[in-house]
Amino acid sequence: MRKFNIRKVLDGLTAGSSSASQQQQQQHPPGNREPEIQETLQSEHFQLCKTVRHGFPYQPSALAFDPVQKILAVGTQTGALRLFGRPGVECYCQHDSGAAVIQLQFLINEGALVSALADDTLHLWNLRQKRPAILHSLKFCRERVTFCHLPFQSKWLYVGTERGNIHIVNVESFTLSGYVIMWNKAIELSSKSHPGPVVHISDNPMDEGKLLIGFESGTVVLWDLKSKKADYRYTYDEAIHSVAWHHEGKQFICSHSDGTLTIWNVRSPAKPVQTITPHGKQLKDGKKPEPCKPILKVEFKTTRSGEPFIILSGGLSYDTVGRRPCLTVMHGKSTAVLEMDYSIVDFLTLCETPYPNDFQEPYAVVVLLEKDLVLIDLAQNGYPIFENPYPLSIHESPVTCCEYFADCPVDLIPALYSVGARQKRQGYSKKEWPINGGNWGLGAQSYSEIIITGHADGSLKFWDASAITLQVLYKLKTSKVFEKSRNKDDKPNTDIVDEDPYAIQIISWCPESRMLCIAGVSAHVIIYRFSKQEVITEVIPMLEVRLLYEINDVESPECEQAPPLPTPVGSANSQPIPPQSHPSTSSSSSDGLRDNVPCLKVKNSPLKQSPGYQTELVIQLVWVGGEPPQQITSLAVNSSYGLVVFGNCNGIAMVDYLQKAILLNLGTIELYGSNDPYRREPRSPRKSRQPSGAGLCDISEGTVVPEDRCKSPTSDIKDNSFSRSRSSSVTSIDKESREAISALHFCETFTRKADSSPSPCLWVGTTLGTVLVIALNLPPGGEQRLLQPVIVSPSGTILRLKGAILRMAFLDSTGCLVPPAYESWREHNVPEEKDEKEKLKKRRPVSVSPSSSQEISENQYAVICSEKQAKVISLPSQNCAYKQNITETSFVLRGDIVSLSNGICLACFCANGHIMTFSLPSLRPLLDVYYLPLTNMRIARTFCFTNNGQALYLVSPTEIQRLTYSQETCENLQEMLGELFTPVETPEAPNRGFFKGLFGGGAQSLDREELFGESSSGKASRSLAQHIPGPGGIEGVKGAASGVVGELARARLALDERGQKLGDLEERTAAMLSSADSFSKHAHEMMLKYKDKKWYQF
């Protein structure tokens, strides 16, 4: 009969006010009352919000620049908007519809931006707040928007449509004017065909009353706004892609689909003054040059002291197959063709003046590429590029994993920066980065943060992520230690993966000792030491490990040495096993089954290692009897013990990297010894080998084939490098034959129930929810550590949870986190002094934990998080003190034990999109917020939590999204964010000159209000477009309301603006009074003069 537990029932009743709280009820197993630990964290310490987004805007589609504010805007195909000011001032916004941004237009120096989207909506963004918001939206119902133009210092936006019509929008009220330019009025009446969509609108720089309209078919019309008729029509038999004015307003240039440029005089519509084919081969006999690819955009910029610049994208000849996309800069007689790494989305020329009717004086070209942003210096010979200060190179090679470390040692960022500074490329422009608008926020955070990204090409990048900025510090190429295959046929062993054989899968890093360890997709592990000295390594130290999966009736390995499996200590003396009788289903070579061969070949020539991370040891798993090594699923390194351990679905291996020796090489089943709770069928892994093509252990309840649990690795690590057991029941082991190692944790704790004091050990978690403990017996420090062996023995301790084990950590008796022991960093490549050597002899790997000096009566707590639940185990008694079922229907993707506001908590991200935190040790739920569902494996592979309430994940292949779950950070965020808009004086308008003023030359202004206002042009049809008020007004107020400093600054700014307006008003009133005064004086004089004269005397 089952025991009835009244306590659990009561717990269930108190917690069971809702089904959710019932599901997450916290259980205290009876009979073992734990000493109460005062927990400081409460639910009010937690709040979830996005902080910043870093990286290159994914799938960019539009570009704009404010030449006065010096701010750049980029729109994307997913409706995102990224704004860039000076380095460190960045902002991300999102259109709710998610429609592609087709065009962006700044209201220059107004702190506002208009975006046009593919769903035919226009939006007005307010940039005068730290988090920009939409003030107004306008949805066109009957026409599709194709092009917009907003003249400088005008409030009337011209909107061209697919039907060829032009509507006019008042950007202040975001309403349509009744004034419409219909396509049939613009073109020749005799024309029999539709001119196509509007592809260009601009006003004549010298006459605002004349509007140049470009239609796709090749027709260009100069429209007189006042007389509402076309002045001139220019026709060309090739489609138009873009149009640009000369600043004097007498000429304009068009780019066409056949790779030609046509230059027109405004008053000569019959034919172009000049036709240029920049990349066309000039044929003899005066024939037309061969047609080229379309010129997608052209800009025409003038200089006071020299020839104008004509800058264009596209237009290459068709025979340049395989040539990279180009930007062409034509200046006088010279033509420079600048090759780009990716296709060009858009480009803009940055000029000194915002006025279109002045000499433009171009100084740079910003080129938006598909996967990069390039800025070209036009003022220097050879047009060098500027060094890009934004963190846009995250995706240089696809990101395969990342780790986030907050509160790092203070000397770490300077150390990484100093070694990374030597890696900088040369040949950049000598000038400062010209996009320098906005102001930095107030950095409230004082701690340092580091992000490490692992990439598909085997590289790692270290980023300084302190105070919500991001800057690359250092790049490490792990593939340097391997021989590169010269040609495709020379790939005998890397067929475990088709491409990216060096891709990084797991990163294990100890910030205090700076020891770094990575696991790669080709079942390789590399250990690195940090050094500021350059060294030449004559022979790269390497080990080959034969991690075999065979289920036999193995006796429990109670001996202290490794079990009787072949355990090679180095590649030189590894004994090959004779090939098995089972034929291999794939990857066999001419000499039978492949055996004892690693997937990659380590270089045998001396290796020059620059300052930074230097290879200490390369470990590779080898093929066993035609069976490729399985990908590594977990990894841990400990600098204090000098050990590295890793596991996969075959078993576990531990290596002493100081002595370069293999200490442990066990199949997962052999870890259990005689305590194995599962009934397993003895079988060979090669009886029914599955073909490559699935990631590790992606199974469901209905799985029948035992080997499905762990198929061969695949080249597509982007989707398959991450996976876990999804089985809801872990007791039916008949279906599951392979148990992978999923978590590893070195610590100094109580290994067995009878232990009276903590000792070094390794805790091992598996995909079946088992936790096993391995005892470590370390020799004394100093020289003895290098001479005597480390003795490793399974302790017999076994704990069970539901679901694959994800994370383990330890708390002391006061509830403080016990970090793993570490050795502080010191320079290894400098010979030590005698005194130092003496110190080293005495030195022993000591834990930093307070538990090492604990009394026998005091205990520790092990915190274990699995995919389904979390448990807190009291040590040394091994009683379950607290338990929390995190999720029944989903599974935890990432769990981290982190410190926050002087407390410790468990943070979890579930596949159903929930982010949860639990207090420690009691596992009280503190936060449960639905954030985002698992839409792709990239999120699962890159999501991580760290200390101080920080978290991040890769939101797109090119961007990192950072978020916080700390209430304090959410409150301070407003202050930390940069300001995009800064009050700047608009430059003075160009001087018209005496003669131009006298004879009517120079720029002609237009009273657009009179022309487009309701009084003269009436109201637009209501069915044409729908006005939608944006949330920006309220949102802006809300955003402004948070943060006292921001509040005061805003109040001061508002007062300044108000004062300025009042000042202007006062001046205007005074001017009006004086003019009224003088008028009355003149009138009085006139009256006196003509008072007594008769009418005929006038």
Side-chain angles (χ1 to χ4, degrees):
M1 189 179 140
R2 195 175 156 197
K3 258 190 178 174
F4 192 78
N5 188 332
I6 189 74
R7 187 169 172 192
K8 276 190 184 177
V9 174
L10 290 172
D11 273 0
L13 284 171
T14 52
S17 55
S18 72
S19 61
S21 58
Q22 273 176 351
Q23 175 194 320
Q24 294 192 335
Q25 92 188 26
Q26 200 175 315
Q27 296 168 357
H28 303 257
N32 50 309
R33 266 281 179 209
E34 292 303 324
E36 282 296 315
I37 290 175
Q38 196 63 44
E39 292 181 358
T40 55
L41 289 179
Q42 301 299 326
S43 54
E44 57 264 25
H45 292 121
F46 293 87
Q47 185 186 336
L48 193 73
C49 70
K50 292 180 183 178
T51 51
V52 281
R53 185 174 289 203
H54 303 296
F56 182 76
Y58 184 55
Q59 295 178 325
S61 55
L63 184 66
F65 182 67
D66 185 325
V68 180
Q69 286 287 321
K70 299 274 200 307
I71 288 174
L72 188 77
V74 176
T76 75
Q77 290 176 33
T78 53
L81 194 58
R82 289 285 292 281
L83 296 143
F84 298 93
R86 65 179 59 203
V89 177
E90 277 182 49
C91 182
Y92 158 77
C93 321
Q94 177 69 47
H95 293 92
D96 290 339
S97 68
V101 179
I102 55 171
Q103 208 179 341
L104 295 169
Q105 289 264 301
F106 274 102
L107 277 69
I108 294 170
N109 207 23
E110 294 286 334
L113 175 80
V114 173
S115 57
L117 269 58
D119 63 354
D120 312 307
T121 53
L122 300 176
H123 304 273
L124 178 67
W125 289 86
N126 175 16
L127 308 182
R128 288 178 178 239
Q129 56 197 59
K130 286 191 170 185
R131 291 211 150 171
I134 293 171
L135 291 170
H136 300 280
S137 299
L138 195 65
K139 167 86 175 152
F140 280 78
C141 305
R142 294 187 304 194
E143 297 202 52
R144 309 225 57 184
V145 174
T146 55
F147 193 89
C148 299
H149 170 64
L150 181 68
F152 179 46
Q153 294 181 323
S154 162
K155 69 172 188 180
W156 299 96
L157 174 77
Y158 301 109
V159 181
T161 69
E162 201 171 43
R163 287 190 188 173
N165 302 326
I166 292 175
H167 301 280
I168 297 160
V169 176
N170 180 334
V171 290
E172 283 177 0
S173 60
F174 239 57
T175 51
L176 274 178
S177 160
Y179 191 113
V180 183
I181 304 170
M182 303 299 285
W183 67 270
N184 52 355
K185 299 269 173 57
I187 63 165
E188 298 270 5
L189 290 174
S190 58
S191 175
K192 290 177 182 172
S193 60
H194 188 277
V198 174
V199 293
H200 179 83
I201 309 168
S202 59
D203 42 348
N204 185 321
M206 287 295 180
D207 188 351
E208 294 172 351
K210 304 282 195 261
L211 199 66
L212 195 70
I213 306 160
F215 296 96
E216 193 179 64
S217 64
T219 302
V220 178
V221 175
L222 188 70
W223 181 264
D224 187 316
L225 289 164
K226 281 182 185 169
S227 63
K228 299 186 183 178
K229 67 177 198 303
D231 278 359
Y232 299 103
R233 296 182 180 93
Y234 315 83
T235 50
Y236 192 73
D237 53 6
E238 289 294 338
I240 287 177
H241 283 277
S242 75
V243 184
W245 280 101
H246 185 284
H247 87 272
E248 287 175 350
K250 293 173 185 170
Q251 281 191 337
F252 62 87
I253 188 168
C254 301
S255 76
H256 300 276
S257 57
D258 63 345
T260 56
L261 296 172
T262 52
I263 299 175
W264 301 78
N265 274 346
V266 170
R267 295 174 186 275
S268 312
K271 64 174 185 140
V273 184
Q274 196 181 354
T275 303
I276 313 164
T277 312
H279 296 284
K281 288 176 184 166
Q282 296 299 326
L283 303 174
K284 291 172 186 174
D285 312 327
K287 287 181 183 173
K288 270 178 100 178
E290 287 179 358
C292 294
K293 292 174 186 173
I295 294 175
L296 300 174
K297 185 171 182 179
V298 64
E299 292 209 334
F300 199 2
K301 302 295 178 187
T302 52
T303 59
R304 268 191 176 78
S305 56
E307 300 280 343
F309 282 88
I310 295 175
I311 301 163
L312 57 115
S313 65
L316 294 177
S317 65
Y318 281 102
D319 61 4
T320 52
V321 180
R323 189 166 176 189
R324 294 194 295 183
C326 293
L327 186 83
T328 307
V329 180
M330 298 165 72
H331 184 223
K333 290 180 179 170
S334 78
T335 300
V337 180
L338 310 173
E339 287 197 340
M340 302 289 154
D341 289 337
Y342 307 100
S343 53
I344 296 170
V345 175
D346 199 357
F347 74 88
L348 287 172
T349 311
L350 309 189
C351 301
E352 294 291 353
T353 178
Y355 293 94
N357 58 353
D358 194 8
F359 284 99
Q360 298 299 288
E361 303 297 346
Y363 58 88
V365 183
V366 58
V367 190
L368 178 64
L369 306 174
E370 208 173 30
K371 292 185 179 177
D372 203 1
L373 183 77
V374 176
L375 202 57
I376 296 157
D377 185 350
L378 288 179
Q380 254 176 277
N381 285 339
Y383 305 131
I385 63 167
F386 288 86
E387 185 176 5
N388 197 322
Y390 305 134
L392 302 182
S393 64
I394 291 168
H395 63 287
E396 193 175 12
S397 168
V399 176
T400 51
C401 64
C402 61
E403 290 296 335
Y404 190 8
F405 302 86
D407 222 358
C408 300
V410 288
D411 58 346
L412 200 47
I413 288 175
L416 287 165
Y417 181 80
S418 68
V419 293
R422 305 170 197 222
Q423 300 175 331
K424 291 271 171 81
R425 269 177 52 192
Q426 301 301 310
Y428 289 113
S429 167
K430 307 261 186 307
K431 290 187 185 164
E432 288 283 309
W433 182 255
I435 302 162
N436 55 13
N439 280 323
W440 293 305
L442 304 167
Q445 291 171 335
S446 54
Y447 54 87
S448 57
E449 298 171 71
I450 291 175
I451 294 168
I452 307 178
T453 51
H455 299 265
D457 64 354
S459 62
L460 278 110
K461 284 183 182 170
F462 290 76
W463 305 82
D464 175 4
S466 311
I468 68 168
T469 60
L470 194 70
Q471 183 187 4
V472 72
L473 291 169
Y474 171 69
K475 183 178 174 181
L476 170 67
K477 291 180 181 171
T478 65
S479 59
K480 277 200 303 194
V481 299
F482 299 110
E483 297 279 5
K484 300 278 194 303
S485 53
R486 295 280 175 267
N487 53 24
K488 285 195 175 175
D489 305 327
D490 182 27
K491 271 193 173 179
N493 305 324
T494 58
D495 60 2
I496 180 173
V497 281
D498 302 333
E499 54 186 41
D500 302 330
Y502 311 112
I504 310 288
Q505 276 190 300
I506 309 172
I507 300 164
S508 177
W509 188 50
C510 173
E512 288 79 15
S513 66
R514 305 185 191 171
M515 287 303 293
L516 170 71
C517 195
I518 63 99
V521 75
S522 296
H524 63 281
V525 170
I526 310 176
I527 302 151
Y528 290 92
R529 235 184 239 286
F530 185 85
S531 172
K532 293 181 179 177
Q533 310 291 320
E534 184 177 289
V535 292
I536 292 175
T537 308
E538 293 299 326
V539 180
I540 298 164
M542 61 170 280
L543 289 175
E544 288 177 0
V545 179
R546 196 177 165 87
L547 203 53
L548 187 62
Y549 168 68
E550 286 283 9
I551 303 183
N552 295 318
D553 295 323
V554 181
E555 284 306 306
S556 169
E558 289 303 327
C559 59
E560 291 181 324
Q561 291 302 322
L565 271 173
T567 311
V569 176
S571 55
N573 57 358
S574 59
Q575 297 296 313
I577 289 182
Q580 305 285 326
S581 56
H582 304 290
S584 169
T585 53
S586 70
S587 67
S588 58
S589 54
S590 56
D591 56 352
L593 297 178
R594 186 175 300 164
D595 196 70
N596 251 35
V597 189
C599 296
L600 302 170
K601 192 180 175 195
V602 175
K603 280 181 182 169
N604 51 17
S605 53
L607 180 69
K608 180 183 164 188
Q609 303 212 63
S610 304
Y613 274 103
Q614 297 171 352
T615 308
E616 173 85 359
L617 179 64
V618 179
I619 307 164
Q620 291 196 84
L621 294 183
V622 293
W623 286 69
V624 178
E627 181 81 355
Q630 298 295 323
Q631 287 182 2
I632 290 159
T633 54
S634 57
L635 174 72
V637 66
N638 187 289
S639 58
S640 178
Y641 306 157
L643 302 178
V644 66
V645 62
F646 55 93
N648 63 10
C649 60
N650 281 345
I652 185 171
M654 192 189 295
V655 169
D656 178 343
Y657 66 76
L658 298 175
Q659 294 186 22
K660 314 285 186 279
I662 298 170
L663 302 174
L664 184 74
N665 180 352
L666 280 176
T668 317
I669 298 111
E670 292 157 310
L671 275 173
Y672 289 94
S674 56
N675 301 326
D676 192 351
Y678 304 119
R679 191 180 80 250
R680 307 186 199 245
E681 301 293 323
R683 69 159 50 88
S684 159
R686 290 174 296 283
K687 271 185 184 162
S688 59
R689 176 156 182 261
Q690 297 297 314
S692 288
L696 251 141
C697 345
D698 212 5
I699 64 125
S700 64
E701 266 297 85
T703 311
V704 181
V705 184
E707 272 68 40
D708 265 14
R709 177 93 205 203
C710 199
K711 297 174 184 172
S712 298
T714 161
S715 60
D716 190 7
I717 83 159
K718 291 143 193 104
D719 286 337
N720 296 323
S721 63
F722 172 91
S723 50
R724 300 275 187 223
S725 152
R726 303 283 171 258
S727 108
S728 55
S729 158
V730 290
T731 49
S732 54
I733 191 61
D734 310 342
K735 298 176 186 176
E736 317 259 6
S737 66
R738 295 203 189 182
E739 182 177 11
I741 307 293
S742 57
L744 295 162
H745 189 87
F746 283 108
C747 55
E748 200 156 312
T749 188
F750 300 92
T751 313
R752 300 176 182 86
K753 284 186 183 181
D755 283 4
S756 58
S757 63
S759 58
C761 56
L762 170 72
W763 284 50
V764 180
T766 76
T767 49
L768 292 185
T770 307
V771 176
L772 303 124
V773 184
I774 295 172
L776 308 173
N777 193 341
L778 297 159
E783 284 174 17
Q784 289 299 307
R785 173 65 185 84
L786 300 174
L787 299 172
Q788 293 182 27
V790 176
I791 297 166
V792 178
S793 55
S795 66
T797 297
I798 293 183
L799 304 166
R800 292 294 323 282
L801 271 80
K802 193 171 155 190
I805 306 296
L806 299 179
R807 190 79 57 208
M808 295 175 279
F810 292 83
L811 309 177
D812 65 14
S813 57
T814 63
C816 294
L817 197 62
V818 179
Y822 63 82
E823 194 173 73
S824 294
W825 178 79
R826 62 188 175 85
E827 182 57 75
H828 271 257
N829 293 330
V830 175
E832 281 121 4
E833 299 298 316
K834 233 180 180 179
D835 298 347
E836 282 290 313
K837 282 193 175 173
E838 285 303 312
K839 272 185 204 167
L840 274 175
K841 275 185 188 173
K842 293 172 190 168
R843 187 163 160 178
R844 230 191 97 61
V846 282
S847 167
V848 289
S849 82
S851 63
S852 54
S853 60
Q854 280 176 345
E855 295 298 313
I856 296 165
S857 60
E858 289 198 1
N859 59 0
Q860 282 188 359
Y861 296 96
V863 182
I864 306 166
C865 175
S866 80
E867 286 181 328
K868 295 285 183 183
Q869 61 181 192
K871 279 186 182 179
V872 173
I873 311 287
S874 183
L875 298 176
S877 67
Q878 294 180 14
N879 291 324
C880 178
Y882 303 97
K883 184 172 94 173
Q884 177 69 257
N885 288 328
I886 299 169
T887 174
E888 293 293 338
T889 53
S890 185
F891 51 91
V892 178
L893 286 164
R894 176 82 183 208
D896 285 293
I897 290 100
V898 290
S899 60
L900 169 81
S901 311
N902 304 320
I904 309 287
C905 68
L906 166 67
C908 297
F909 172 52
C910 284
N912 60 10
H914 283 255
I915 288 177
M916 307 181 200
T917 62
F918 302 92
S919 71
L920 288 176
S922 71
L923 294 172
R924 271 181 308 117
L926 296 171
L927 174 80
D928 184 354
V929 176
Y930 176 73
Y931 176 68
L932 89 163
L934 176 63
T935 47
N936 58 41
M937 294 313 276
R938 185 185 57 249
I939 296 170
R941 206 177 51 248
T942 56
F943 199 104
C944 46
F945 297 96
T946 186
N947 296 332
N948 300 334
Q950 307 291 346
L952 66 79
Y953 62 97
L954 217 69
V955 67
S956 75
T958 62
E959 296 164 290
I960 284 174
Q961 177 67 55
R962 285 165 72 177
L963 49 145
T964 182
Y965 47 98
S966 153
Q967 167 71 31
E968 190 186 353
T969 309
C970 287
E971 281 178 1
N972 294 331
L973 187 60
Q974 194 69 19
E975 263 88 69
M976 291 161 66
L977 293 171
E979 299 264 8
L980 278 169
F981 179 80
T982 47
V984 179
E985 284 278 319
T986 302
E988 275 189 29
N991 195 351
R992 284 172 72 180
F994 174 72
F995 289 106
K996 281 186 178 175
L998 194 65
F999 299 111
Q1004 302 292 312
S1005 61
L1006 170 78
D1007 189 345
R1008 294 189 179 96
E1009 187 65 50
E1010 188 187 327
L1011 205 56
F1012 304 142
E1014 209 175 290
S1015 53
S1016 57
S1017 61
K1019 282 186 178 178
S1021 162
R1022 277 191 180 181
S1023 61
L1024 190 61
Q1026 177 194 356
H1027 176 260
I1028 306 157
I1034 303 156
E1035 288 291 316
V1037 172
K1038 277 185 189 167
S1042 63
V1044 182
V1045 178
E1047 183 66 58
L1048 289 169
R1050 258 174 291 284
R1052 202 178 300 119
L1053 195 67
L1055 279 171
D1056 286 354
E1057 282 185 7
R1058 193 169 167 216
Q1060 205 175 329
K1061 283 176 184 168
L1062 285 169
D1064 290 352
L1065 192 65
E1066 211 173 307
E1067 280 171 23
R1068 264 187 255 143
T1069 313
M1072 281 170 73
L1073 277 169
S1074 73
S1075 91
D1077 224 24
S1078 69
F1079 179 75
S1080 84
K1081 210 180 278 177
H1082 280 294
H1084 190 65
E1085 282 171 11
M1086 291 276 286
M1087 187 264 293
L1088 291 174
K1089 189 177 178 184
Y1090 297 112
K1091 187 178 171 186
D1092 300 321
K1093 290 195 176 180
K1094 304 282 186 241
W1095 65 270
Y1096 50 84
Q1097 290 174 317
F1098 286 133

